[in-house]
Amino acid sequence: MEKQYFNLMSFFNGYVRSYRRMNLSSLHNRSMFTKREIDYFAHLGELLGFDAFIEDSKFDCLKGRSRPMDLSWWK
């Protein structure tokens, strides 16, 4: 199976261009900024054909515990 490679700079450019659509202002707290940014990347992942999971975790065999993740994309 062929690996997929993404141009991360195009992700960043799209993020910067669409940042104003998040409708954030100085009246919002950090949690709202984080939530809207995570939602943006979750939606982007779904548009790219991935399943997006917010507040997911993956078991780390080396440490014997799970690693919490704010967002993960799965094929």
Side-chain angles (χ1 to χ4, degrees):
M1 178 163 199
E2 186 177 325
K3 279 192 169 186
Q4 290 183 336
Y5 295 97
F6 294 111
N7 181 348
L8 296 180
M9 207 55 199
S10 66
F11 287 4
F12 178 73
N13 288 333
Y15 170 71
V16 169
R17 279 194 305 266
S18 65
Y19 199 83
R20 67 178 178 82
R21 290 189 195 137
M22 292 187 207
N23 296 321
L24 294 166
S25 71
S26 61
L27 301 175
H28 292 93
N29 60 22
R30 281 186 235 162
S31 296
M32 183 56 73
F33 274 78
T34 302
K35 181 186 179 335
R36 294 223 180 135
E37 291 168 340
I38 289 172
D39 287 344
Y40 170 84
F41 283 103
H43 182 68
L44 175 63
E46 290 170 352
L47 290 173
L48 293 170
F50 292 91
D51 292 322
F53 297 94
I54 296 174
E55 295 187 16
D56 196 10
S57 63
K58 181 177 183 181
F59 191 75
D60 187 343
C61 295
L62 295 175
K63 294 184 180 177
R65 59 182 169 92
S66 62
R67 296 180 305 163
M69 296 176 270
D70 289 332
L71 173 68
S72 61
W73 292 350
W74 293 84
K75 258 306 186 190

Coordinates of all heavy atoms in Angstrom, one line a residue:
M1 N 0.8 -1.2 0.0 CA 0.0 0.0 0.0 C 0.9 1.2 0.0 O 1.8 1.3 0.7 CB -0.9 0.0 1.2 CG -1.8 1.2 1.4 SD -3.1 0.8 2.5 CE -4.2 2.0 2.1
E2 N 0.5 2.2 -0.8 CA 1.3 3.4 -1.0 C 1.0 4.4 0.2 O -0.1 4.6 0.5 CB 1.0 4.1 -2.3 CG 1.9 5.3 -2.6 CD 1.6 5.9 -4.0 OE1 1.3 5.1 -4.9 OE2 1.6 7.1 -4.1
K3 N 2.1 5.0 0.7 CA 1.9 5.9 1.8 C 1.4 7.3 1.2 O 1.8 7.6 0.2 CB 3.2 6.2 2.5 CG 3.6 5.2 3.5 CD 4.7 5.6 4.4 CE 4.9 4.7 5.5 NZ 5.9 5.2 6.5
Q4 N 0.6 7.9 2.0 CA 0.1 9.3 1.7 C 1.0 10.3 2.3 O 1.3 10.2 3.5 CB -1.3 9.5 2.1 CG -2.3 8.7 1.3 CD -3.7 9.0 1.8 OE1 -4.0 9.5 2.9 NE2 -4.7 8.8 0.9
Y5 N 1.4 11.3 1.6 CA 2.1 12.4 2.1 C 1.3 13.7 1.9 O 0.8 13.9 0.9 CB 3.5 12.5 1.5 CG 4.4 11.3 1.8 CD1 4.5 10.3 0.9 CD2 5.1 11.2 3.0 CE1 5.3 9.2 1.1 CE2 5.9 10.1 3.2 CZ 6.0 9.1 2.3 OH 6.8 8.0 2.6
F6 N 1.3 14.5 2.9 CA 0.6 15.8 2.9 C 1.6 16.9 2.8 O 2.6 16.9 3.5 CB -0.3 15.9 4.1 CG -1.4 14.9 4.1 CD1 -1.4 13.9 5.1 CD2 -2.5 15.0 3.2 CE1 -2.5 13.0 5.2 CE2 -3.5 14.0 3.3 CZ -3.5 13.1 4.2
N7 N 1.2 18.0 2.2 CA 1.9 19.2 2.2 C 1.4 20.0 3.4 O 0.4 20.7 3.4 CB 1.7 20.0 0.9 CG 2.5 21.3 0.9 OD1 3.0 21.8 1.9 ND2 2.5 21.9 -0.3
L8 N 2.1 19.9 4.5 CA 1.7 20.5 5.8 C 1.6 22.1 5.7 O 0.8 22.7 6.4 CB 2.6 20.1 6.9 CG 2.6 18.6 7.3 CD1 3.5 18.3 8.4 CD2 1.2 18.2 7.6
M9 N 2.4 22.6 4.8 CA 2.4 24.1 4.6 C 1.0 24.5 4.0 O 0.5 25.5 4.4 CB 3.5 24.5 3.7 CG 3.9 25.9 3.9 SD 4.4 26.2 5.6 CE 4.3 27.9 5.6
S10 N 0.4 23.7 3.2 CA -0.9 24.0 2.6 C -2.0 23.9 3.7 O -2.9 24.7 3.8 CB -1.3 23.1 1.5 OG -1.5 21.8 1.9
F11 N -1.8 23.0 4.7 CA -2.7 22.9 5.9 C -2.6 24.2 6.6 O -3.6 24.8 7.0 CB -2.4 21.8 6.8 CG -2.7 20.4 6.3 CD1 -3.3 20.2 5.0 CD2 -2.5 19.3 7.1 CE1 -3.6 18.9 4.6 CE2 -2.9 18.0 6.6 CZ -3.4 17.9 5.4
F12 N -1.4 24.6 6.9 CA -1.2 25.9 7.7 C -1.7 27.1 7.0 O -2.4 27.9 7.6 CB 0.3 26.0 8.0 CG 0.7 27.3 8.7 CD1 0.3 27.4 10.1 CD2 1.2 28.4 8.1 CE1 0.6 28.5 10.8 CE2 1.5 29.5 8.8 CZ 1.2 29.6 10.1
N13 N -1.5 27.2 5.7 CA -2.0 28.3 4.9 C -3.5 28.4 4.9 O -4.1 29.5 5.1 CB -1.5 28.3 3.5 CG 0.0 28.7 3.4 OD1 0.5 29.4 4.2 ND2 0.6 28.1 2.3
G14 N -4.2 27.3 4.8 CA -5.6 27.2 4.9 C -6.1 27.6 6.2 O -7.1 28.3 6.4
Y15 N -5.4 27.1 7.3 CA -5.8 27.5 8.6 C -5.7 29.0 8.9 O -6.6 29.6 9.4 CB -4.9 26.7 9.6 CG -4.9 27.1 11.0 CD1 -6.0 26.8 11.8 CD2 -3.9 27.8 11.6 CE1 -6.1 27.1 13.1 CE2 -3.9 28.1 13.0 CZ -5.0 27.8 13.7 OH -5.1 28.1 15.0
V16 N -4.6 29.6 8.4 CA -4.5 31.0 8.6 C -5.5 31.8 7.8 O -6.1 32.7 8.4 CB -3.0 31.5 8.2 CG1 -2.9 33.0 8.2 CG2 -2.0 30.9 9.2
R17 N -5.8 31.4 6.6 CA -6.7 32.1 5.8 C -8.2 32.0 6.3 O -9.0 32.9 6.2 CB -6.7 31.6 4.3 CG -5.6 32.1 3.5 CD -5.8 31.9 2.0 NE -6.0 30.4 1.7 CZ -5.0 29.6 1.4 NH1 -3.8 30.1 1.2 NH2 -5.3 28.4 1.1
S18 N -8.5 30.9 7.0 CA -9.9 30.7 7.4 C -10.0 31.0 8.9 O -11.1 30.8 9.5 CB -10.4 29.3 7.1 OG -9.6 28.4 7.8
Y19 N -9.0 31.5 9.6 CA -9.0 31.8 11.0 C -10.2 32.7 11.4 O -10.8 32.6 12.4 CB -7.7 32.3 11.5 CG -7.5 32.1 13.0 CD1 -7.1 30.9 13.5 CD2 -7.8 33.1 13.9 CE1 -7.0 30.7 14.9 CE2 -7.7 33.0 15.3 CZ -7.3 31.7 15.8 OH -7.2 31.6 17.1
R20 N -10.4 33.7 10.6 CA -11.4 34.7 10.9 C -12.8 34.1 11.0 O -13.7 34.6 11.6 CB -11.4 35.9 10.0 CG -11.8 35.6 8.6 CD -11.7 36.9 7.7 NE -12.1 36.5 6.3 CZ -13.3 36.3 5.9 NH1 -14.3 36.5 6.7 NH2 -13.5 36.0 4.6
R21 N -13.0 33.0 10.2 CA -14.3 32.4 10.2 C -14.7 31.7 11.5 O -15.8 31.3 11.8 CB -14.4 31.3 9.1 CG -14.4 32.0 7.7 CD -14.7 30.9 6.7 NE -14.4 31.5 5.4 CZ -13.7 30.8 4.5 NH1 -13.4 29.6 4.6 NH2 -13.5 31.4 3.3
M22 N -13.7 31.6 12.4 CA -13.9 31.0 13.7 C -14.7 31.9 14.7 O -15.1 31.5 15.7 CB -12.6 30.5 14.4 CG -12.0 29.3 13.6 SD -10.6 28.7 14.5 CE -9.6 28.1 13.2
N23 N -14.8 33.2 14.2 CA -15.5 34.2 15.0 C -15.1 34.3 16.4 O -15.9 34.3 17.4 CB -17.0 34.0 14.9 CG -17.5 34.1 13.5 OD1 -17.1 35.0 12.8 ND2 -18.5 33.2 13.1
L24 N -13.8 34.4 16.6 CA -13.2 34.5 18.0 C -12.8 35.9 18.3 O -12.4 36.7 17.3 CB -12.0 33.6 18.1 CG -12.2 32.1 18.1 CD1 -11.0 31.3 17.9 CD2 -13.0 31.6 19.3
S25 N -13.0 36.3 19.5 CA -12.6 37.7 19.9 C -12.0 37.7 21.3 O -11.9 36.6 21.9 CB -13.8 38.6 19.9 OG -14.7 38.3 20.9
S26 N -11.6 38.9 21.7 CA -11.0 38.9 23.1 C -12.0 38.6 24.2 O -11.6 38.4 25.3 CB -10.4 40.3 23.3 OG -11.5 41.3 23.2
L27 N -13.3 38.5 23.8 CA -14.3 38.1 24.8 C -14.3 36.6 25.1 O -14.9 36.1 26.1 CB -15.7 38.5 24.3 CG -15.9 40.0 24.1 CD1 -17.2 40.3 23.5 CD2 -15.6 40.8 25.4
H28 N -13.6 35.8 24.2 CA -13.6 34.4 24.4 C -12.4 34.0 25.2 O -11.4 34.6 25.2 CB -13.5 33.7 23.0 CG -14.7 33.8 22.2 ND1 -14.9 34.8 21.3 CD2 -15.9 33.1 22.1 CE1 -16.1 34.7 20.7 NE2 -16.7 33.7 21.2
N29 N -12.6 32.9 26.0 CA -11.5 32.4 26.8 C -10.6 31.4 26.0 O -10.9 31.0 24.9 CB -12.0 31.8 28.1 CG -12.9 30.6 27.9 OD1 -12.9 29.9 26.8 ND2 -13.7 30.3 28.8
R30 N -9.5 30.9 26.6 CA -8.6 30.0 25.9 C -9.3 28.7 25.5 O -9.0 28.1 24.5 CB -7.4 29.7 26.8 CG -6.4 30.8 26.8 CD -5.2 30.4 27.6 NE -5.0 31.4 28.6 CZ -4.2 31.2 29.6 NH1 -3.6 30.1 29.9 NH2 -4.1 32.2 30.5
S31 N -10.2 28.2 26.3 CA -10.8 27.0 26.0 C -11.7 27.1 24.7 O -11.7 26.1 24.0 CB -11.8 26.6 27.2 OG -11.0 26.3 28.3
M32 N -12.3 28.2 24.5 CA -13.1 28.4 23.3 C -12.2 28.4 22.1 O -12.5 27.9 21.0 CB -14.0 29.6 23.4 CG -14.9 29.8 22.2 SD -15.9 28.4 21.8 CE -17.1 28.6 23.1
F33 N -11.0 29.1 22.2 CA -10.1 29.1 21.1 C -9.6 27.7 20.8 O -9.6 27.3 19.6 CB -8.8 30.0 21.5 CG -9.0 31.5 21.3 CD1 -9.7 32.2 22.1 CD2 -8.4 32.0 20.2 CE1 -9.8 33.6 21.9 CE2 -8.5 33.4 20.0 CZ -9.2 34.2 20.8
T34 N -9.3 27.0 21.8 CA -8.8 25.6 21.6 C -9.9 24.7 21.0 O -9.6 24.0 20.0 CB -8.3 25.0 22.9 OG1 -7.3 25.8 23.5 CG2 -7.8 23.6 22.7
K35 N -11.1 24.8 21.4 CA -12.2 24.0 20.9 C -12.4 24.3 19.5 O -12.6 23.4 18.6 CB -13.5 24.3 21.7 CG -14.6 23.4 21.2 CD -15.9 23.7 21.9 CE -17.1 22.9 21.4 NZ -17.1 22.4 20.1
R36 N -12.5 25.6 19.1 CA -12.8 25.9 17.7 C -11.6 25.5 16.8 O -11.8 25.1 15.7 CB -13.0 27.4 17.6 CG -14.3 27.8 18.3 CD -15.2 28.7 17.5 NE -16.4 29.0 18.3 CZ -16.9 30.2 18.5 NH1 -16.3 31.3 17.9 NH2 -18.0 30.4 19.1
E37 N -10.4 25.6 17.3 CA -9.2 25.2 16.5 C -9.2 23.7 16.3 O -9.0 23.2 15.2 CB -7.9 25.6 17.1 CG -7.8 27.2 17.0 CD -6.6 27.7 17.9 OE1 -6.2 27.0 18.8 OE2 -6.2 28.8 17.7
I38 N -9.5 22.9 17.3 CA -9.6 21.5 17.2 C -10.7 21.1 16.3 O -10.6 20.2 15.4 CB -9.7 20.8 18.6 CG1 -8.4 20.9 19.3 CG2 -10.2 19.3 18.5 CD1 -8.5 20.5 20.8
D39 N -11.9 21.7 16.4 CA -13.0 21.5 15.5 C -12.6 21.7 14.0 O -13.0 21.0 13.1 CB -14.2 22.3 15.9 CG -14.9 21.8 17.1 OD1 -14.6 20.7 17.6 OD2 -15.7 22.6 17.7
Y40 N -11.9 22.8 13.8 CA -11.4 23.1 12.4 C -10.6 21.9 11.8 O -10.9 21.4 10.7 CB -10.5 24.3 12.4 CG -9.9 24.6 11.1 CD1 -10.5 25.2 10.0 CD2 -8.6 24.1 10.9 CE1 -9.9 25.4 8.8 CE2 -7.9 24.3 9.6 CZ -8.6 25.0 8.6 OH -8.0 25.1 7.4
F41 N -9.6 21.4 12.6 CA -8.8 20.3 12.1 C -9.5 19.0 12.1 O -9.2 18.1 11.2 CB -7.5 20.2 12.9 CG -6.5 21.3 12.6 CD1 -6.3 22.4 13.4 CD2 -5.8 21.2 11.4 CE1 -5.5 23.4 13.0 CE2 -4.9 22.2 11.0 CZ -4.7 23.3 11.8
A42 N -10.5 18.8 12.9 CA -11.4 17.6 12.8 C -12.1 17.6 11.5 O -12.2 16.6 10.8 CB -12.3 17.5 14.0
H43 N -12.7 18.8 11.2 CA -13.5 18.9 10.0 C -12.5 18.7 8.7 O -12.9 18.0 7.8 CB -14.2 20.2 9.9 CG -15.0 20.5 8.7 ND1 -16.1 19.8 8.5 CD2 -14.8 21.3 7.6 CE1 -16.7 20.2 7.3 NE2 -15.9 21.1 6.8
L44 N -11.4 19.3 8.8 CA -10.4 19.1 7.7 C -10.0 17.6 7.5 O -10.0 17.2 6.4 CB -9.1 19.9 8.0 CG -8.0 19.7 7.0 CD1 -8.3 20.2 5.7 CD2 -6.7 20.5 7.5
G45 N -9.8 16.9 8.6 CA -9.5 15.5 8.5 C -10.6 14.7 7.8 O -10.4 13.9 7.0
E46 N -11.9 15.1 8.2 CA -13.0 14.4 7.6 C -13.1 14.7 6.1 O -13.4 13.8 5.3 CB -14.3 14.8 8.3 CG -14.3 14.1 9.7 CD -15.5 14.7 10.6 OE1 -16.1 15.7 10.2 OE2 -15.7 14.1 11.7
L47 N -12.8 15.9 5.7 CA -12.8 16.3 4.3 C -11.8 15.5 3.5 O -11.9 15.3 2.3 CB -12.6 17.8 4.1 CG -13.7 18.7 4.6 CD1 -13.3 20.2 4.5 CD2 -15.0 18.5 3.7
L48 N -10.7 15.2 4.2 CA -9.6 14.4 3.5 C -9.8 12.9 3.6 O -9.0 12.1 3.1 CB -8.3 14.8 4.2 CG -7.8 16.2 4.0 CD1 -6.6 16.5 4.9 CD2 -7.4 16.4 2.6
G49 N -11.0 12.5 4.1 CA -11.3 11.1 4.1 C -10.9 10.3 5.4 O -11.0 9.1 5.3
F50 N -10.6 11.0 6.4 CA -10.2 10.3 7.7 C -11.4 10.3 8.6 O -12.3 11.1 8.5 CB -9.0 11.0 8.3 CG -7.7 10.9 7.6 CD1 -7.4 11.9 6.6 CD2 -6.9 9.9 7.8 CE1 -6.2 11.7 5.9 CE2 -5.7 9.7 7.1 CZ -5.4 10.7 6.2
D51 N -11.4 9.4 9.6 CA -12.3 9.5 10.7 C -11.6 10.3 11.8 O -10.4 10.0 12.2 CB -12.6 8.1 11.3 CG -13.4 7.3 10.3 OD1 -14.3 7.8 9.6 OD2 -13.1 6.1 10.2
A52 N -12.2 11.4 12.2 CA -11.6 12.3 13.2 C -12.2 11.9 14.6 O -13.4 11.8 14.8 CB -11.9 13.7 12.9
F53 N -11.3 11.8 15.6 CA -11.7 11.5 17.0 C -11.2 12.6 17.9 O -10.0 12.8 17.9 CB -11.2 10.1 17.4 CG -11.8 9.0 16.6 CD1 -11.1 8.5 15.5 CD2 -13.0 8.5 17.0 CE1 -11.6 7.4 14.8 CE2 -13.6 7.4 16.2 CZ -12.9 6.9 15.1
I54 N -12.1 13.2 18.6 CA -11.6 14.3 19.5 C -11.6 13.7 20.9 O -12.4 12.9 21.3 CB -12.7 15.5 19.5 CG1 -12.6 16.1 18.1 CG2 -12.4 16.5 20.6 CD1 -13.7 17.2 17.9
E55 N -10.5 14.0 21.6 CA -10.2 13.5 23.0 C -10.1 12.0 22.9 O -10.7 11.2 23.7 CB -11.2 14.0 24.0 CG -11.2 15.5 24.2 CD -12.1 15.9 25.3 OE1 -12.5 15.1 26.1 OE2 -12.3 17.1 25.4
D56 N -9.3 11.5 22.0 CA -9.0 10.1 21.8 C -7.8 9.7 22.7 O -7.2 10.6 23.3 CB -8.7 9.9 20.3 CG -8.8 8.4 19.9 OD1 -9.2 7.6 20.7 OD2 -8.3 8.1 18.8
S57 N -7.5 8.4 22.8 CA -6.3 8.0 23.5 C -5.8 6.8 22.8 O -6.5 6.0 22.2 CB -6.6 7.7 25.0 OG -7.5 6.7 25.1
K58 N -4.5 6.6 22.9 CA -3.8 5.4 22.3 C -3.0 4.8 23.4 O -2.3 5.5 24.1 CB -3.0 5.9 21.2 CG -2.2 4.8 20.4 CD -1.5 5.3 19.3 CE -0.8 4.2 18.5 NZ 0.0 4.7 17.4
F59 N -3.0 3.5 23.5 CA -2.3 2.8 24.5 C -0.8 2.8 24.2 O -0.4 2.4 23.1 CB -2.8 1.4 24.7 CG -2.3 0.7 25.9 CD1 -2.7 1.1 27.2 CD2 -1.3 -0.2 25.8 CE1 -2.2 0.5 28.4 CE2 -0.7 -0.8 27.0 CZ -1.2 -0.5 28.2
D60 N 0.0 3.2 25.1 CA 1.5 3.2 24.9 C 2.0 2.0 25.6 O 2.1 1.9 26.9 CB 2.0 4.5 25.5 CG 3.5 4.7 25.3 OD1 4.2 3.7 24.9 OD2 4.0 5.8 25.4
C61 N 2.5 1.0 24.9 CA 2.9 -0.3 25.4 C 4.2 -0.1 26.2 O 4.4 -0.8 27.2 CB 3.2 -1.3 24.3 SG 1.7 -1.8 23.4
L62 N 5.1 0.9 25.8 CA 6.3 1.1 26.6 C 6.1 1.6 28.0 O 6.8 1.2 28.9 CB 7.2 2.0 25.8 CG 7.7 1.5 24.4 CD1 8.5 2.6 23.7 CD2 8.6 0.3 24.6
K63 N 5.1 2.5 28.1 CA 4.9 3.1 29.4 C 3.7 2.4 30.2 O 3.5 2.7 31.4 CB 4.5 4.6 29.3 CG 5.7 5.4 28.7 CD 5.4 6.8 28.7 CE 6.6 7.6 28.2 NZ 6.3 9.0 28.0
G64 N 3.0 1.5 29.5 CA 1.9 0.8 30.2 C 0.7 1.6 30.5 O 0.0 1.3 31.4
R65 N 0.5 2.7 29.8 CA -0.6 3.6 30.0 C -1.1 4.2 28.7 O -0.4 4.1 27.7 CB -0.3 4.7 31.0 CG 0.8 5.6 30.6 CD 1.1 6.6 31.7 NE 2.4 7.3 31.5 CZ 2.4 8.4 30.8 NH1 1.4 9.0 30.3 NH2 3.6 9.0 30.6
S66 N -2.2 4.8 28.7 CA -2.7 5.4 27.5 C -2.1 6.9 27.4 O -1.8 7.5 28.4 CB -4.2 5.5 27.4 OG -4.7 6.2 28.5
R67 N -2.0 7.3 26.1 CA -1.6 8.7 25.8 C -2.8 9.5 25.3 O -3.3 9.2 24.3 CB -0.5 8.6 24.7 CG 0.8 7.9 25.1 CD 1.7 8.0 23.9 NE 1.1 7.4 22.7 CZ 1.6 7.6 21.5 NH1 2.6 8.4 21.3 NH2 1.0 7.1 20.5
P68 N -3.2 10.4 26.1 CA -4.4 11.2 25.6 C -4.0 12.1 24.5 O -2.9 12.6 24.4 CB -4.8 12.0 26.9 CG -3.6 12.1 27.7 CD -2.7 10.8 27.4
M69 N -4.9 12.2 23.5 CA -4.7 13.1 22.4 C -5.9 14.0 22.2 O -7.1 13.5 22.4 CB -4.5 12.3 21.1 CG -3.3 11.4 21.1 SD -3.2 10.4 19.6 CE -4.1 8.9 20.2
D70 N -5.7 15.2 21.9 CA -6.9 16.1 21.7 C -7.6 15.8 20.4 O -8.8 15.8 20.3 CB -6.4 17.6 21.6 CG -6.0 18.2 22.9 OD1 -6.5 17.7 24.0 OD2 -5.1 19.1 23.0
L71 N -6.8 15.3 19.4 CA -7.4 15.0 18.1 C -6.6 14.0 17.4 O -5.4 14.0 17.5 CB -7.5 16.3 17.2 CG -7.9 16.1 15.8 CD1 -9.4 15.7 15.7 CD2 -7.7 17.4 15.0
S72 N -7.2 13.0 16.8 CA -6.5 12.0 16.0 C -7.3 11.8 14.7 O -8.5 11.8 14.7 CB -6.2 10.8 16.8 OG -7.4 10.2 17.1
W73 N -6.6 11.5 13.6 CA -7.2 11.1 12.4 C -6.9 9.6 12.1 O -5.7 9.2 12.3 CB -6.6 11.9 11.2 CG -7.0 13.3 11.1 CD1 -7.9 14.0 11.9 CD2 -6.4 14.3 10.3 NE1 -7.9 15.3 11.5 CE2 -7.0 15.5 10.5 CE3 -5.4 14.2 9.3 CZ2 -6.6 16.7 9.8 CZ3 -5.1 15.3 8.6 CH2 -5.7 16.5 8.8
W74 N -7.9 8.8 11.7 CA -7.7 7.4 11.5 C -8.2 7.1 10.1 O -9.3 7.6 9.7 CB -8.4 6.6 12.5 CG -7.8 6.7 13.9 CD1 -8.0 7.6 14.8 CD2 -6.8 5.8 14.4 NE1 -7.3 7.4 15.9 CE2 -6.5 6.3 15.7 CE3 -6.1 4.7 14.0 CZ2 -5.6 5.7 16.6 CZ3 -5.2 4.0 14.8 CH2 -5.0 4.5 16.1
K75 N -7.6 6.2 9.4 CA -8.1 5.7 8.1 C -8.9 4.5 8.3 O -8.7 3.7 9.1 CB -6.9 5.3 7.2 CG -6.5 6.3 6.1 CD -7.7 6.7 5.2 CE -7.1 7.5 4.0 NZ -8.2 8.1 3.3

